[in-house]
Amino acid sequence: MNTKIILAAACAAALAGCATKDEAAYRAQADAVLKRDFQARGIATMDRLDQTELQRICTQYHDNPPFEVQQRLEAAEMKTVKLPADGKFMGDWKRGARIAESGRGMTWSDKPGEAGGSCYNCHQLSPQQTSFGTLGPSLLQFGKTRGYTEANQKYVYERIYNSKAFNTCSTMPRFGSTGTLTEAQIKDLVAYLMDPESPVNK
Amino acid sequence: MADPMRIRATLQGDVADVRVLMSHPMETGQRKDASGNVVPLHFIHSITAQLNGKTVFEASTTQAISRNPVFAFKVKGAKAGDKLSITWEDNKGDKRTDEITLGG
Amino acid sequence: MKRRNIVCAAALGAALGATPVAAQDTDTTTAEFEKFRAVMEEANPAELFELKGEELWRTRRGPKNASLEKCDLGLGPGVVKGAYVQTPRYFPDVGRVMDIEARVVHCMITLQGFTYEELAKQPFSTETRTPDVVSIVTFIAAQSKGMKFDAPQSNAQEREAYELGKAIFFHRAGAWDLSCASCHGADGKRIRTQQLPNFTNPQQAARGVLGWPGYRMTGGVMHTLQWRMNDCFRQQRFPEPKYVSEAITALLTYLTVNANGTVYKGPGIKR
């Protein structure tokens, strides 16, 4: 990695001589330039630009790494999922609704600990909320169609906690593993998707 | 000092189709700034248009109009070379007048 | 005089903004907004910033008491017409590629004696303050109205900026593992009800640069592409890009070159 950055820097210095610079060299240059040209602000600190192995591999393979690499990374991500100590996955769907609505959290204009799940930015959930995004699949009637089983509750908990444990280069943030949402907030979201009384399942 | 207006007029026969853009914050008195203080009411309350010095248009306006407002109106009996001036005045006593000469 | 002919476009704007959007008529809402925008484009408040920018361009200002009329935007000192659609470009005097805003800042520093620090301190418009650079860029942009985007790729540095911008576009990092492509890499996607252009699709690429600089009716503020990039990175959960840095110029090179050939309609109007 370090050698790549140095190579990229050398290339940048000798522009004309680098006509055949390949994608990898530009990736390394992008990494170096971002670190030079960005600055910490509020809670958005510079360590956010230190790509994790997963971020680096997803960038390199345009979100489609080889199968073996996916398996290895997904297993590693699954290890970061901390299941609830009390063994219960379901919180309060009403609180979950508010968390699903909130698009706040983790930007330089947010304070620590005021994050929501940004769920509606990408997913359809309750039929009453008509302002929803389409980057992710519709989750309308999620529990009703898949079954209100404990196995499904656990799946939803894990999926919100770390979506990359299921789909290596998923667009969805790792809400638990990155400390964006607390265990209690994730449980409330599980309830929002899995409680038969939740508007999502009406 | 208030920023200039943008006045545009097109003549069709003896009717001038006038559009005017005004640079003004048009504060409603209900908005709060970043530190939570109410931003005081500040709005244009009157607009006057004159054709060669004669008033052809007057309007009383309120804080319900948006920031940097746009007005459009038609003036009959206008001809090329006429001077069209527009004046606004706000509740703080600020004033601005701009003038154009109507084209052919 | 016909008093009833007053078009209260402004009041209409407020009413439209307050109307809740229902899913079944999302497309109707979009269509209605497009009609409203068509009306507003004939009298876009962006013109006020053009006027202000033109005055600022010509006025002697700064510690060196100079105007910007000797500023070379790439087509020779003082040539403004066409400069906006032909940037970012390589400037031999500084030995690097600059986007228009970076170049204006450069001229304000070298010709007028302003400092980078004071220009970078609060570089973006708020409801109560529009930085001079924003008005100047709006003025320059308006002088390219009706011309095609033609950001040059005629030397190694410009091609390098494009490739670097492309790499930044796909670079996943930050608290939420996002890249620009996470939201702008597929057709027909939305965040909430906001349509997301796919910048990797040549048919949609121009949507990244058309309508900028843009007057936002929400708040009534004028914004440039530097602001747009800054706010995207905020929502990408990245640290903040430094004002007019090479990273942003590279990204703008990627977006503009992809839009080359599209006719620029001048400063725009946005929700």
Side-chain angles (χ1 to χ4, degrees):
Chain A
M1 192 62 204
N2 279 335
T3 25
K4 269 187 188 168
I5 292 173
I6 292 160
L7 269 176
C11 278
L15 291 166
C18 278
T20 56
K21 215 164 125 176
D22 63 2
E23 262 196 43
Y26 281 114
R27 279 199 301 276
Q29 194 186 345
D31 186 69
V33 166
L34 289 171
K35 284 173 180 161
R36 185 198 66 195
D37 286 355
F38 279 56
Q39 59 200 358
R41 180 167 170 185
I43 60 172
T45 46
M46 283 299 283
D47 56 354
R48 292 189 181 186
L49 291 179
D50 296 332
Q51 275 187 314
T52 62
E53 187 194 11
L54 180 128
Q55 291 172 340
R56 187 171 51 73
I57 285 176
C58 290
T59 300
Q60 178 183 344
Y61 290 101
H62 290 267
D63 295 342
N64 193 19
F67 184 65
E68 309 74 48
V69 178
Q70 287 188 30
Q71 281 187 311
R72 179 172 65 77
L73 290 172
E74 285 174 17
E77 292 299 325
M78 193 52 109
K79 284 195 184 137
T80 71
V81 177
K82 201 169 154 271
L83 294 176
D86 63 1
K88 294 195 177 78
F89 298 108
M90 298 275 277
D92 174 359
W93 70 260
K94 285 176 187 156
R95 283 198 305 260
R98 285 196 295 276
I99 297 164
E101 284 284 352
S102 168
R104 303 199 65 171
M106 303 301 265
T107 75
W108 71 62
S109 51
D110 292 311
K111 291 183 184 69
E114 56 178 20
S118 285
C119 308
Y120 278 104
N121 280 4
C122 302
H123 297 286
Q124 183 178 26
L125 293 117
S126 161
Q128 275 92 54
Q129 177 48 281
T130 57
S131 170
F132 59 85
T134 59
L135 284 160
S138 169
L139 304 176
L140 208 58
Q141 305 215 309
F142 186 90
K144 195 177 181 180
T145 53
R146 286 167 182 80
Y148 301 116
T149 64
E150 200 182 317
N152 282 343
Q153 292 171 6
K154 179 169 182 275
Y155 164 72
V156 174
Y157 182 92
E158 291 173 331
R159 185 91 207 212
I160 296 170
Y161 203 100
N162 191 332
S163 191
K164 271 84 174 177
F166 300 87
N167 173 6
T168 322
C169 298
S170 166
T171 307
M172 183 163 147
R174 299 173 281 186
F175 289 102
S177 305
T178 57
T180 303
L181 297 178
T182 63
E183 178 183 302
Q185 284 179 305
I186 297 175
K187 285 180 170 187
D188 291 338
L189 286 175
V190 173
Y192 190 49
L193 282 162
M194 292 296 292
D195 192 316
E197 294 309 309
S198 163
V200 171
N201 295 314
K202 293 291 179 188
Chain B
M1 176 64 188
D3 286 331
M5 283 175 248
R6 176 75 132 183
I7 308 170
R8 278 222 187 106
T10 48
L11 270 173
Q12 282 197 317
D14 70 339
V15 178
D17 197 341
V18 182
R19 267 172 201 277
V20 54
L21 265 161
M22 296 170 188
S23 184
H24 200 281
M26 297 299 287
E27 288 293 350
T28 61
Q30 296 182 20
R31 206 173 62 81
K32 286 179 180 165
D33 66 16
S35 34
N37 303 314
V38 172
V39 182
L41 196 60
H42 185 200
F43 67 100
I44 293 172
H45 61 57
S46 71
I47 300 167
T48 311
Q50 293 192 322
L51 192 68
N52 298 325
K54 181 180 160 243
T55 300
V56 290
F57 172 85
E58 278 181 300
S60 297
T61 50
T62 71
Q63 68 272 32
I65 307 289
S66 81
R67 175 170 298 152
N68 299 327
V70 179
F71 291 90
F73 55 91
K74 293 180 182 182
V75 183
K76 253 187 178 174
K79 59 181 186 304
D82 282 357
K83 306 260 187 233
L84 176 76
S85 76
I86 294 174
T87 302
W88 59 250
E89 193 171 337
D90 71 20
N91 65 320
K92 288 186 178 173
D94 277 347
K95 242 177 143 163
R96 169 96 204 178
T97 301
D98 287 279
E99 184 180 89
I100 61 161
T101 304
L102 297 184
Chain C
M1 180 197 82
K2 296 182 189 172
R3 188 172 288 212
R4 65 173 181 276
N5 273 332
I6 297 173
V7 179
C8 277
L12 181 64
L16 193 97
T19 308
V21 179
Q24 56 270 30
D25 56 37
T26 295
D27 287 336
T28 325
T29 309
T30 307
E32 285 301 308
F33 181 78
E34 287 307 319
K35 272 192 228 164
F36 173 58
R37 173 149 56 195
V39 172
M40 287 300 286
E41 268 175 359
E42 293 174 39
N44 184 347
E47 287 184 37
L48 295 167
F49 299 91
E50 283 176 44
L51 277 181
K52 177 91 182 164
E54 181 171 14
E55 187 191 316
L56 289 165
W57 178 263
R58 299 190 196 292
T59 307
R60 289 164 172 268
R61 303 168 65 235
K64 293 187 182 174
N65 193 33
S67 83
L68 288 170
E69 288 167 302
K70 289 206 172 73
C71 178
D72 185 350
L73 300 172
L75 305 176
V79 180
V80 178
K81 193 176 169 62
Y84 187 78
V85 288
Q86 293 179 63
T87 45
R89 67 159 57 231
Y90 176 70
F91 288 90
D93 60 344
V94 287
R96 74 171 182 102
V97 175
M98 288 175 148
D99 59 85
I100 199 77
E101 192 158 344
R103 189 62 182 177
V104 168
V105 165
H106 169 79
C107 285
M108 288 175 76
I109 293 167
T110 55
L111 298 175
Q112 298 183 312
F114 292 105
T115 65
Y116 173 79
E117 287 68 30
E118 58 190 309
L119 296 174
K121 203 175 167 208
Q122 285 185 296
F124 305 122
S125 302
T126 65
E127 288 176 334
T128 50
R129 177 180 168 276
T130 306
D132 292 341
V133 183
V134 171
S135 299
I136 294 166
V137 168
T138 306
F139 158 66
I140 294 167
Q143 312 313 308
S144 284
K145 197 172 175 176
M147 301 168 82
K148 284 181 179 169
F149 281 103
D150 190 18
Q153 287 281 280
S154 50
N155 54 49
Q157 291 88 345
E158 286 164 355
R159 290 190 287 274
E160 170 107 1
Y162 178 89
E163 293 299 331
L164 175 61
K166 186 178 178 183
I168 291 172
F169 186 85
F170 289 101
H171 189 90
R172 295 189 72 166
W176 285 7
D177 314 319
L178 299 170
S179 71
C180 305
S182 300
C183 293
H184 295 286
D187 288 351
K189 299 292 186 186
R190 298 197 316 250
I191 280 190
R192 290 279 184 157
T193 56
Q194 183 67 50
Q195 311 277 342
L196 298 163
N198 175 6
F199 297 133
T200 65
N201 177 344
Q203 258 80 51
Q204 294 176 35
R207 286 174 57 193
V209 287
L210 283 174
W212 293 100
Y215 181 78
R216 275 206 150 186
M217 281 180 277
T218 314
V221 288
M222 195 73 211
H223 281 311
T224 64
L225 275 169
Q226 281 284 335
W227 172 83
R228 179 63 275 174
M229 297 300 115
N230 179 281
D231 204 54
C232 271
F233 280 115
R234 183 181 67 82
Q235 294 176 80
Q236 210 172 316
R237 274 72 185 177
F238 272 41
E240 187 177 32
K242 292 176 187 164
Y243 182 52
V244 297
S245 60
E246 186 189 341
I248 300 300
T249 297
L251 198 47
L252 290 176
T253 305
Y254 176 67
L255 293 175
T256 313
V257 169
N258 287 347
N260 273 353
T262 307
V263 174
Y264 176 59
K265 294 177 191 154
I269 190 152
K270 299 179 181 289
R271 272 179 225 228

